[in-house]
Amino acid sequence: MMGLAGRFTASPSPLDEEKLQIELSQQKISPSDYARTLAERKSHAYAAEALEITNGVALIIGSDTIVDLDGHIMEKPTDEKVAHSMLSSLSGNWHQVHTGVAVYAVGASASSNEPQLMFSFTDTAKVKFASLTDRDIKAYIDTREPFDKAGSYGIQGIGGQLVEKINGDFFTVMGLPMHRLSRELTDVIKNLDL
């Protein structure tokens, strides 16, 4: 990602993520595939809109992170009760964090008006939560940090205090596995001759 300063824009996808989550929850899909599919659909939706406004070649990166406790997918909590339940479940336990990443190219092919999927993957890290008291959980919920985080915590913020150990890439847990993404992007950029 080095050398990209001033050459990118961060914007939310126009995808109706809640609708897609409901659709995926009705399918038999692994948590790892769930995260990758969300990333692919988010980046494709943005890429389809970008076709209309992009001159030249643009790469669209989408990602999505979920928490997986014994095969149960934990998205963002909807209220304090759900956040409390999630954090209580994670307390003292190992869980997995899956971050799906997808990159589409627009304007890369003169013969196609469609976004091209360049690559997608899911990176997974294992995280061990410390044992939390009810007081710990309530104090963390009171910070309001859990409400926009999968599994009700953000390792890059106050929630990092809840994490005892991690096996895997810290940036995967944070929401974007930078090393793997940069390696994959390097190959794409070489092939597109950008």
Side-chain angles (χ1 to χ4, degrees), residues 64-124:
D64 203 275
T65 302
I66 59 147
V67 170
D68 166 8
L69 179 63
D70 301 325
H72 174 73
I73 295 169
M74 294 181 166
E75 290 281 359
K76 297 172 186 170
T78 53
D79 58 34
E80 287 185 14
K81 185 177 178 182
V82 173
H84 193 282
S85 175
M86 286 182 182
L87 292 166
S88 294
S89 297
L90 294 172
S91 175
N93 291 311
W94 283 95
H95 61 276
Q96 294 183 317
V97 177
H98 306 286
T99 295
V101 177
V103 174
Y104 277 85
V106 295
S109 170
S111 62
S112 175
N113 246 0
E114 291 295 313
Q116 283 181 267
L117 178 63
M118 304 310 292
F119 64 85
S120 65
F121 63 83
T122 301
D123 205 67
T124 300

